[in-house]
mmCIF file with all atom_site columns, all heavy atoms in Angstrom:
data_model
loop_
_atom_site.group_PDB
_atom_site.id
_atom_site.type_symbol
_atom_site.label_atom_id
_atom_site.label_alt_id
_atom_site.label_comp_id
_atom_site.label_asym_id
_atom_site.label_entity_id
_atom_site.label_seq_id
_atom_site.pdbx_PDB_ins_code
_atom_site.Cartn_x
_atom_site.Cartn_y
_atom_site.Cartn_z
_atom_site.occupancy
_atom_site.B_iso_or_equiv
_atom_site.pdbx_formal_charge
_atom_site.auth_seq_id
_atom_site.auth_comp_id
_atom_site.auth_asym_id
_atom_site.auth_atom_id
_atom_site.pdbx_PDB_model_num
ATOM 1  N N   . GLU A 1 112 ? -24.521 28.041 20.943 1.00 98.00 ? 112 GLU A N   1
ATOM 2  C CA  . GLU A 1 112 ? -23.920 29.270 20.386 1.00 98.00 ? 112 GLU A CA  1
ATOM 3  C C   . GLU A 1 112 ? -22.409 29.241 20.507 1.00 98.00 ? 112 GLU A C   1
ATOM 4  O O   . GLU A 1 112 ? -21.683 29.646 19.619 1.00 98.00 ? 112 GLU A O   1
ATOM 5  C CB  . GLU A 1 112 ? -24.562 30.473 20.969 1.00 98.00 ? 112 GLU A CB  1
ATOM 6  C CG  . GLU A 1 112 ? -25.924 30.745 20.435 1.00 98.00 ? 112 GLU A CG  1
ATOM 7  C CD  . GLU A 1 112 ? -26.620 31.900 20.990 1.00 98.00 ? 112 GLU A CD  1
ATOM 8  O OE1 . GLU A 1 112 ? -26.068 32.593 21.926 1.00 98.00 ? 112 GLU A OE1 1
ATOM 9  O OE2 . GLU A 1 112 ? -27.751 32.188 20.566 1.00 98.00 ? 112 GLU A OE2 1
ATOM 10 N N   . ARG A 1 113 ? -21.919 28.678 21.647 1.00 98.00 ? 113 ARG A N   1
ATOM 11 C CA  . ARG A 1 113 ? -20.487 28.616 21.845 1.00 98.00 ? 113 ARG A CA  1
ATOM 12 C C   . ARG A 1 113 ? -19.869 27.670 20.780 1.00 98.00 ? 113 ARG A C   1
ATOM 13 O O   . ARG A 1 113 ? -18.810 28.012 20.164 1.00 98.00 ? 113 ARG A O   1
ATOM 14 C CB  . ARG A 1 113 ? -20.179 28.026 23.271 1.00 98.00 ? 113 ARG A CB  1
ATOM 15 C CG  . ARG A 1 113 ? -18.649 28.071 23.621 1.00 98.00 ? 113 ARG A CG  1
ATOM 16 C CD  . ARG A 1 113 ? -18.396 27.448 24.943 1.00 98.00 ? 113 ARG A CD  1
ATOM 17 N NE  . ARG A 1 113 ? -19.034 28.087 26.057 1.00 98.00 ? 113 ARG A NE  1
ATOM 18 C CZ  . ARG A 1 113 ? -18.647 29.297 26.585 1.00 98.00 ? 113 ARG A CZ  1
ATOM 19 N NH1 . ARG A 1 113 ? -17.577 29.871 26.144 1.00 98.00 ? 113 ARG A NH1 1
ATOM 20 N NH2 . ARG A 1 113 ? -19.309 29.828 27.597 1.00 98.00 ? 113 ARG A NH2 1
ATOM 21 N N   . CYS A 1 114 ? -20.514 26.537 20.586 1.00 98.00 ? 114 CYS A N   1
ATOM 22 C CA  . CYS A 1 114 ? -20.012 25.624 19.522 1.00 98.00 ? 114 CYS A CA  1
ATOM 23 C C   . CYS A 1 114 ? -20.017 26.282 18.159 1.00 98.00 ? 114 CYS A C   1
ATOM 24 O O   . CYS A 1 114 ? -19.022 26.190 17.472 1.00 98.00 ? 114 CYS A O   1
ATOM 25 C CB  . CYS A 1 114 ? -20.876 24.351 19.494 1.00 98.00 ? 114 CYS A CB  1
ATOM 26 S SG  . CYS A 1 114 ? -20.671 23.308 21.022 1.00 98.00 ? 114 CYS A SG  1
ATOM 27 N N   . GLU A 1 115 ? -21.139 26.907 17.875 1.00 98.00 ? 115 GLU A N   1
ATOM 28 C CA  . GLU A 1 115 ? -21.242 27.464 16.480 1.00 98.00 ? 115 GLU A CA  1
ATOM 29 C C   . GLU A 1 115 ? -20.238 28.588 16.220 1.00 98.00 ? 115 GLU A C   1
ATOM 30 O O   . GLU A 1 115 ? -19.634 28.712 15.155 1.00 98.00 ? 115 GLU A O   1
ATOM 31 C CB  . GLU A 1 115 ? -22.725 27.971 16.254 1.00 98.00 ? 115 GLU A CB  1
ATOM 32 C CG  . GLU A 1 115 ? -23.662 26.748 15.962 1.00 98.00 ? 115 GLU A CG  1
ATOM 33 C CD  . GLU A 1 115 ? -25.091 27.121 16.060 1.00 98.00 ? 115 GLU A CD  1
ATOM 34 O OE1 . GLU A 1 115 ? -25.467 28.209 16.477 1.00 98.00 ? 115 GLU A OE1 1
ATOM 35 O OE2 . GLU A 1 115 ? -25.957 26.166 15.786 1.00 98.00 ? 115 GLU A OE2 1
ATOM 36 N N   . ARG A 1 116 ? -20.101 29.415 17.299 1.00 98.00 ? 116 ARG A N   1
ATOM 37 C CA  . ARG A 1 116 ? -19.133 30.510 17.183 1.00 98.00 ? 116 ARG A CA  1
ATOM 38 C C   . ARG A 1 116 ? -17.721 30.019 17.024 1.00 98.00 ? 116 ARG A C   1
ATOM 39 O O   . ARG A 1 116 ? -16.993 30.401 16.124 1.00 98.00 ? 116 ARG A O   1
ATOM 40 C CB  . ARG A 1 116 ? -19.232 31.384 18.415 1.00 98.00 ? 116 ARG A CB  1
ATOM 41 C CG  . ARG A 1 116 ? -18.761 32.823 18.175 1.00 98.00 ? 116 ARG A CG  1
ATOM 42 C CD  . ARG A 1 116 ? -19.011 33.741 19.391 1.00 98.00 ? 116 ARG A CD  1
ATOM 43 N NE  . ARG A 1 116 ? -20.168 33.421 20.191 1.00 98.00 ? 116 ARG A NE  1
ATOM 44 C CZ  . ARG A 1 116 ? -20.100 33.041 21.443 1.00 98.00 ? 116 ARG A CZ  1
ATOM 45 N NH1 . ARG A 1 116 ? -18.908 32.951 22.060 1.00 98.00 ? 116 ARG A NH1 1
ATOM 46 N NH2 . ARG A 1 116 ? -21.162 32.748 22.131 1.00 98.00 ? 116 ARG A NH2 1
#
Side-chain angles (χ1 to χ4, degrees):
E112 286 180 355
R113 187 183 300 283
C114 290
E115 282 165 356
R116 203 171 333 114

